[in-house]
Amino acid sequence: MKKIPEIPINITQEQVDAGLDKFITTVEEEIQSHHTRPEWLNLDEPSREEQNLIVRTNIILDMLEEYIQILKLGDDNPYYQRFEVAKLYFKNINIPNFKK
């Protein structure tokens, strides 16, 4: 089992909030980019551009998930809620033969 590190004591809440906002906003922008490409929905195989977007986003989501655990954010936290919506979006993308 992976040990979750503690929050460094020299980081302020404002820095934590700014970092969470930046990365969650990046994922939301990737969702918007993906969602505005209807031609991707009709392909049997994902394009390289779509694959890159999904890989990039999954890296960010994995990192965010770890830090959300470290920060112990709950269901009532707006960053947690935005993260969960983004995670659900990419979880529901059905791409045949593509390993996330």
Side-chain angles (χ1 to χ4, degrees):
M1 186 171 170
K2 188 175 179 181
K3 182 181 177 197
I4 298 175
E6 295 292 319
I7 302 171
I9 57 173
N10 59 344
I11 295 179
T12 67
Q13 186 62 46
E14 292 79 21
Q15 290 171 314
V16 169
D17 290 346
L20 284 170
D21 188 60
K22 176 183 178 181
F23 287 107
I24 292 172
T25 298
T26 298
V27 172
E28 290 168 340
E29 289 168 352
E30 296 287 27
I31 289 171
Q32 185 64 29
S33 175
H34 187 267
H35 192 69
T36 59
R37 302 288 300 267
E39 67 273 15
W40 285 350
L41 300 175
N42 298 324
L43 296 176
D44 290 332
E45 293 292 322
S47 67
R48 180 172 279 314
E49 186 179 8
E50 183 180 19
Q51 287 178 359
N52 289 340
L53 180 143
I54 291 168
V55 168
R56 199 172 44 245
T57 302
N58 279 322
I59 290 168
I60 295 169
L61 287 172
D62 287 346
M63 181 206 62
L64 280 170
E65 188 159 38
E66 184 174 332
Y67 283 99
I68 284 172
Q69 289 175 5
I70 291 169
L71 298 170
K72 299 176 176 92
L73 300 182
D75 294 349
D76 59 337
N77 184 288
Y79 295 117
Y80 179 83
Q81 294 167 358
R82 290 170 61 196
F83 167 76
E84 286 297 317
V85 168
K87 191 167 75 169
L88 184 62
Y89 179 88
F90 282 98
K91 180 181 177 185
N92 289 328
I93 295 174
N94 185 16
I95 299 178
N97 305 317
F98 180 67
K99 294 181 173 123
K100 296 180 187 177

